[in-house]
Every structure is written in C-alpha cells, then in structure tokens.
Amino acid sequence: MDSSDSSYYSRQQLDELFLQMIAFFSGDPKRIQHFMKVHSFARIIGTKEGLDETSLFILEAAAYTHDIGIRPAEEKYGRCDGKLQEQEGPIVAQRMLSDVGIENYLIDRICYLIGHHHTYDNIEGLDYQILVEADFLVNLYEDDVNRHGIEQAYQQIFRTQTGKEIFNQMYTDER
C-alpha cells in the first residue's frame, strides 16, 4: 500500500496525531489514557454504525483531540470545565491538525466537534453523537458516577444502537 491510498494516508495522519497528543499531555497519563479510551469506543461505534470513511476519520481525529482545551484552559483560568475546554480547544487543535497534514475542510468539522463535545442539546451529525457517547462511556467510569447519574446519562445521551449495547454491557448489573 502506498501513501497515495487515502485510507493509508489517513491512518498515518491519525497515528501521528495520536503521538502528538501523547506529547501534548506529556506527564499526564490519566488524560492520555482518557483520550485513548474515548478513541477506542468512538472508532468501534462509528464502524458498527456504518460511518463512511471520511466521517470515521473526522470522528477518530476528534476523539483523540476532544480534550485538547484542558491545558490552555487551566493555564488561562486555573480551571478546565467543559465550556472552557470547548472555548480553548479548537484554537490549539487547529494548529496540531494542520501540522499533521489534515485538510482544512476536515479540520473545520473536527474543531466544531471539539468546540461542542460538552454541549448535549441540538447534537447534529452522527459523528457528534458518537463522540459524545464515547466520552460518556469513559467519563461515567472514570468519574465514578452513581447509579442515578448513569441511568440519567443513558436516557438523555445514548441514541446509537452500538452505543446503547456497549453501555448496557458495561453498566447494567444483569449478567
């Protein structure tokens, strides 16, 4: 396979983005582990839900970079709540995405997803829905959310069949 094959080229870009994000969060293994887990869930949900190659690429890149606004928010404001992540993330991500050779029309959508991944009303696009579901699958565990919060998240957030199946396998007590 040569680099003129778009899927090969895209995989190389995603691999480089992955390494760039590890460097970005250097010394912070929790955040590195977080984006790796969100990416894994996003990729499998996106694949099972039938995303086309371009949409899957956008989703994967957004999953790697969705929390890139944490560091600049902490540096500027001393905190990193979801709205500040959405505000600060796209600026930093745009440079990184461009540096790995991702085309501008793709960067625009990736940055849109980064800038909205904590906004849960008016979710537009399957890539956006899947990113939010993948982030919830990880955050519910990492934040040790109680049973009521888990049930609320399921009712309010999960829409894809694959996301619901993974959620139920992870968070229901039925065996």
Side-chain angles (χ1 to χ4, degrees), residues 13-14 17 54-66 68 89-90 93-94 97-98 100 102-117 127 131:
Q13 289 173 316
L14 288 172
L17 186 60
T54 301
S55 297
L56 186 60
F57 178 81
I58 289 167
L59 174 62
E60 288 190 66
Y64 279 143
T65 57
H66 73 284
I68 199 169
Q94 188 168 24
L97 295 163
S98 182
V100 300
I102 296 174
E103 296 178 53
N104 286 336
Y105 78 98
L106 300 171
I107 291 173
D108 290 345
R109 180 62 178 174
I110 296 163
C111 286
Y112 177 84
L113 295 175
I114 294 166
H116 292 82
H117 80 280
D127 54 355
L131 178 61

Side-chain angles (χ1 to χ4, degrees), residues 54-95:
T54 301
S55 297
L56 186 60
F57 178 81
I58 289 167
L59 174 62
E60 288 190 66
Y64 279 143
T65 57
H66 73 284
D67 280 345
I68 199 169
I70 287 175
R71 283 234 163 125
E74 288 174 334
E75 290 168 7
K76 284 184 178 180
Y77 307 103
R79 58 190 174 83
C80 63
D81 61 76
K83 290 301 163 195
L84 288 177
Q85 289 177 42
E86 290 179 335
Q87 175 184 309
E88 300 298 322
I91 300 158
V92 180
Q94 188 168 24
R95 270 183 256 124

Side-chain angles (χ1 to χ4, degrees), residues 137 154 163-174:
L137 287 169
Y154 183 80
K164 288 178 179 181
E165 289 171 7
I166 293 170
F167 177 96
N168 284 321
Q169 290 172 349
M170 287 178 67
Y171 294 109
T172 58
D173 295 330
E174 301 168 11

Side-chain angles (χ1 to χ4, degrees), residues 19-74:
L19 295 172
Q20 293 270 338
M21 285 301 297
I22 289 174
F24 183 81
F25 282 127
S26 178
D28 194 343
K30 183 178 180 181
R31 290 189 177 137
I32 293 168
Q33 293 284 322
H34 176 80
F35 78 72
M36 291 173 59
K37 291 184 276 187
V38 171
H39 172 266
S40 291
F41 284 123
R43 178 171 169 69
I44 194 66
I45 295 169
T47 300
K48 296 291 282 177
E49 293 294 319
L51 284 183
D52 62 80
E53 186 176 321
T54 301
S55 297
L56 186 60
F57 178 81
I58 289 167
L59 174 62
E60 288 190 66
Y64 279 143
T65 57
H66 73 284
D67 280 345
I68 199 169
I70 287 175
R71 283 234 163 125
E74 288 174 334

